Amino acid sequence: MAYILDNLTASCNLESEGLLRKLLIAVVAALASLPIAGCDSGPPPQKSDAELHLNEQQSRGRRLFNQSCAQCHRAYSDDQLNGPSLQGVFKKSALPSGIPANDDRVRETINLGRAKMPGFRNLFTDDQVDDLIAYLHSL
């Protein structure tokens, strides 16, 4: 920045080089403090389980979702990542794949996978899948 200021002040042929330098510094500082259009300050802070009114089983499911599913699926946004958003998944008649949105089909999808999604039957116990489904019902 000093190099730019030196070149600008040298080319202006002003008697008050110090004044121009101070003015340029003030302008640059003011511009730097403005928010940049299109910049995202990141995701909003996550609400607590209590704020979401989750019961104990749904809270366990949420932790499992955050550990194993959130890298591909959004829970509280329509935005897609590597997989579809799961916001309101049980409020719809069908899953994004077209199969019915019910506990049995969701359990099958979690255990066996579908399309690009791997199956988790070797990683999750039946109780964990129950917890995850309970959480998905809260979305």
Side-chain angles (χ1 to χ4, degrees):
M1 184 169 151
Y3 173 78
I4 294 169
L5 291 175
D6 289 340
N7 286 330
L8 283 173
T9 55
S11 66
C12 288
N13 294 329
L14 294 176
E15 294 177 333
S16 179
E17 182 177 312
L19 180 60
L20 181 59
R21 178 179 289 274
K22 289 178 185 176
L23 178 62
L24 287 171
I25 290 171
V27 168
V28 169
L31 290 174
S33 69
L34 294 174
I36 298 172
C39 283
D40 187 4
S41 61
Q46 280 197 353
K47 292 184 178 182
S48 70
D49 292 350
E51 289 173 308
L52 294 170
H53 307 289
L54 301 180
N55 63 34
E56 188 177 327
Q57 183 183 32
Q58 292 167 331
S59 294
R60 288 191 308 265
R62 183 183 190 204
R63 284 191 297 277
L64 185 62
F65 181 92
N66 287 338
Q67 292 169 0
S68 303
C69 310
Q71 62 266 24
C72 294
H73 299 283
R74 296 266 192 231
Y76 298 103
S77 167
D78 286 333
D79 294 341
Q80 293 191 6
L81 292 173
N82 295 325
S85 167
L86 296 180
Q87 182 177 27
V89 67
F90 281 110
K91 292 177 176 73
K92 302 169 186 166
S93 61
L95 300 174
S97 63
I99 62 174
N102 62 45
D103 289 6
D104 291 336
R105 297 295 74 83
V106 170
R107 179 180 310 283
E108 180 180 273
T109 301
I110 293 168
N111 284 328
L112 302 177
R114 182 166 309 283
K116 296 178 187 176
M117 179 178 154
F120 289 87
R121 71 175 165 209
N122 294 328
L123 296 173
F124 298 164
T125 66
D126 289 341
D127 288 339
Q128 287 176 311
V129 174
D130 290 341
D131 295 345
L132 187 54
I133 290 173
Y135 171 64
L136 295 175
H137 273 286
S138 76
L139 301 179

